[in-house]
Amino acid sequence: MRSACSRQGVPGLSRMPGLPRLPGPPRLPRLPASPAFSTPFSMAFSSLLGGVLAGLAALAPAQAASSKLETILLPPPVAPGAVVRRYVKISARRIALTHVRIIDGTGAPVTPERTILIEGDRIVALLSGGDPLPADARVLDLSGDTVLPGIVGMHDHLFYLRRPDLDASGASEPPLLSPELAFSAPRLYLANGVTTLRTTGSMEPETDLNLKRQIDAGRMPGPHLDVTGPYLEGEGSAFLQMHQLRDPEDARRTVDFWADRGVTSFKAYMHITRAELKAAIDEAHRRGLKITGHLCAVTYREAAELGIDDLEHGFYVNTELDPGKKPDVCTESDGQDTLEAMSPDGAAAKALIADLVAHHVAVTSTLPVFEQSVPGHAPLWPRALAVMTPEARVDYLYLRNLASNAPAERARRRTLAFEHDLALERAFVAAGGLLLAGPDPTGNGGVIPGFGDLREIELLVEAGFTPVAAVKIATYNGARYLGLEDRIGSIAAGKDADLLVVKGDPAQTITDIEQVELVFKDGVGYDPAALLASVQGRYGEY
């Protein structure tokens, strides 16, 4: 085995509880100057023209791939089918959301007393309070409410983590299991305002692809899905459900196979080697797709040099300063030692962040899964607990209690790591980095789809971002990474009508974001209460 890691490969468990970079065709040579007209001007013009043609040739494949991906991720909307209609609250050709305050997702200041006019699946106008409305518009008086862009969740799994025969001491028997929750998870995401998500690693990729087709056809409720392929994992995984790559060629073939099947992104995992990761990155980029990673055997800087597009879990799983780190081998601490040692204002942190920014590598913040390891930090949400099965709820409370009663030194280290990560994420953005957001509903089981996405925004505010900046990270930044910022992620005329309506003003009191009243996806208004009622006591089962 290539790894000494014994932490099961689950975020938080050991501490618990852009545009696509597409390789273009070879650069065209300069056009030769005609011998009869080899003047300095003609030679300069030929050189300039050759460069322009080369640039256009290199740009064309990227544009074509981006356009095709947009069509897959945001297909033309269809009318909700019989099952989906049970959860529709507002449906009309024209809808006017009046007397709202808007957090538009761009980071701009809040605009009060506005009207959002929706026609079909698009926002057609943002109006002042006194502007006339179409006579046939369905008018909703939303006085006191705030409208935000639909959340673009960038670490939003469709599976759950189960530990067989878990007891109050935290002991369980192998293996870790990850049952697919294709019924409850999509409803929970949509009910809490997530209108687009990346699955960021799949245990059942064929199930996820079929689920996406059902949602896109209007037969099941749920967000738009960026289906990530199966985990690209090396030798030594604790998960029986993961294929373990044999070599770089196996990595390339795996990416090629699942790209043919229809997945739209990839994720490398903890035990992948540098050679395997390089092969996966090159093949994904050849297919016009991006690749992220929850790494361990490969460090952040190594992955950046290899061309990775994104790194998961903030700065929690970078292992470059872990004592005894060996090439291509996961460490015992899974990056905990590096995070504790990396002072956010120190030279090592600044150099790492500069390197990531220079290589245009995004970072995905997944604060909810890690706050579970900090004693007394994670709130208990009755509405979230209510959707869990009794067994899942008991397991979570067992593990939560263990974290809450951790020995003083362990609690100190976990708190320090969390504080360092908050500061490093803030520094990364200040340096020009693209920070994405997602909850990662795994760990000790307390991070629930949808609810976790809202909690992520609250924790970004705790990290020092303003509420409107935190909303931008959770909406516009994800859309930008996916190449969909012209369609989703912000509120403007011409954009898709994917919207989150909450009672109160999250710009003043960030916890108001929990008061979800209505969710629009493709111009159709969904009833959060009905969606949540349909999965009460079921999350963890199906």
Side-chain angles (χ1 to χ4, degrees), residues 40-69:
F41 174 81
S42 65
M43 294 177 66
F45 179 77
S46 297
S47 176
L48 175 63
L49 181 59
V52 169
L53 291 175
L56 291 174
L59 183 61
Q63 290 177 329
S66 177
S67 177
K68 180 181 178 182
L69 197 60

Side-chain angles (χ1 to χ4, degrees), residues 74-98:
L74 302 176
V78 300
V83 171
V84 177
R85 284 198 298 271
R86 300 172 190 168
Y87 308 101
V88 173
K89 191 173 185 178
I90 304 294
S91 181
R93 192 169 78 88
R94 288 194 180 98
I95 301 170
L97 311 181
T98 65

Side-chain angles (χ1 to χ4, degrees), residues 264-325:
T264 43
S265 59
F266 287 93
K267 179 182 178 181
Y269 208 47
M270 297 177 69
H271 300 282
I272 195 169
T273 66
R274 289 168 296 173
E276 291 163 349
L277 179 58
K278 176 61 174 171
I281 290 170
D282 288 350
E283 186 62 18
H285 288 177
R286 189 184 73 82
R287 300 296 299 262
L289 303 176
K290 289 188 174 184
I291 181 168
T292 189
H294 168 176
L295 302 176
C296 182
V298 179
T299 69
Y300 278 23
R301 290 205 206 200
E302 289 171 340
E305 185 66 30
L306 294 173
I308 202 165
D309 299 291
D310 186 14
L311 293 165
E312 299 303 305
H313 304 303
F315 291 84
Y316 260 95
V317 294
N318 179 33
T319 55
E320 68 177 76
L321 301 182
D322 283 12
K325 175 70 176 77

